[in-house]
Structure formats: structure tokens, C-alpha cells
Amino acid sequence: MDGDSRWMLRMALLAGCALSLAAQAVHAEDCLPPEPTWWDSPYMSGDLFGARSGLAEHGVIADLQLTQFYQGVAGGGQEQSFQYGGRSDCFVNLDGNKLGLWEGLSVTLHGETRYGETVNSIAGTLSAPN
């Protein structure tokens, strides 16, 4: 292979690499994060038409959490059975400074409840089965 052929081969390889990189180039718009959807929101109800962010600006933050479980005794115990239950928690945080009350005042309220059934009584053990 003579010198001109090698130079042409190198230029063809360089052009091929440049075209490959240009085809894979990402535009700035493609790098932006996608618009958040209902599934991406930390709250199931979103911003509630601005109510959640409006209350937060004035020092009131409310957070509701729900945990559900289905548990059972698969073997042993007094009986083999499965039960459905859960718990819900409500947290309310108050910022006294934003509420116009007392600078440095912070109040956190926590309410919780359990619902449904548990397998503790049918497991027949001294310690909790879960």
C-alpha cells in the first residue's frame, strides 16, 4: 500500500468516526429531565391545585402515609391463615415563624392508626411472627 492509499484510508476512517459521533450527538433538549408525571410525584395527590405549596409557604406541611400488609402463618402455629391489615400515619409540621407566631417555634404532630387483622393471635408464639 502506498502513502496516498494509507492517507485516504486514514481520512475515510476519521470521516466514519466523525459521522458516527455526529449521529450519536445528543441535543441539549434531550438532556433535560422529563416532565414529572403522577407516578413520579412524592405525593399521590400532587400539589392539590396549589394548596399543598400554598400551605407550605405559610408554614403548614401535612404528610399522610399508608402502609398495607397481607401476612399469614404458612406452617405451624394454632392455625394456618392469612390476614390483611395496615396502618396510616398523619404528620403535620408547623413553622411558627412563617405562621407569624414565634420565631424558632416548630411543632410536629403525629397521629397514627392501625386497621384490619393481625396474625399475632393465631401464630401461637411468644414473640411477634413478623
Side-chain angles (χ1 to χ4, degrees):
M1 201 184 262
D2 64 352
D4 287 339
S5 297
R6 281 190 218 147
W7 184 82
M8 296 272 295
L9 181 61
R10 288 181 185 157
M11 289 298 117
L13 286 173
L14 184 61
C17 289
L19 286 174
S20 174
L21 289 174
Q24 295 175 8
V26 178
H27 298 288
E29 302 88 42
D30 297 335
C31 293
L32 296 175
E35 290 292 321
T37 63
W38 182 78
W39 293 103
D40 301 324
S41 175
Y43 299 103
M44 189 167 103
S45 56
D47 194 22
L48 293 172
F49 306 105
R52 184 181 306 278
S53 59
L55 284 170
E57 289 175 11
H58 291 90
V60 179
I61 298 174
D63 189 17
L64 301 172
Q65 297 176 353
L66 177 69
T67 305
Q68 302 179 66
F69 47 84
Y70 186 71
Q71 61 183 355
V73 178
Q78 295 177 355
E79 63 179 270
Q80 285 73 44
S81 177
F82 287 81
Q83 303 290 336
Y84 168 78
R87 69 178 280 159
S88 60
D89 293 290
C90 176
F91 296 93
V92 178
N93 296 309
L94 305 173
D95 184 349
N97 191 27
K98 289 183 180 179
L99 286 168
L101 299 174
W102 188 5
E103 186 175 346
L105 174 68
S106 177
V107 177
T108 300
L109 304 171
H110 177 209
E112 64 182 79
T113 184
R114 277 193 62 151
Y115 60 90
E117 302 294 326
T118 179
V119 296
N120 290 344
S121 62
I122 62 173
T125 60
L126 294 176
S127 62
N130 56 350

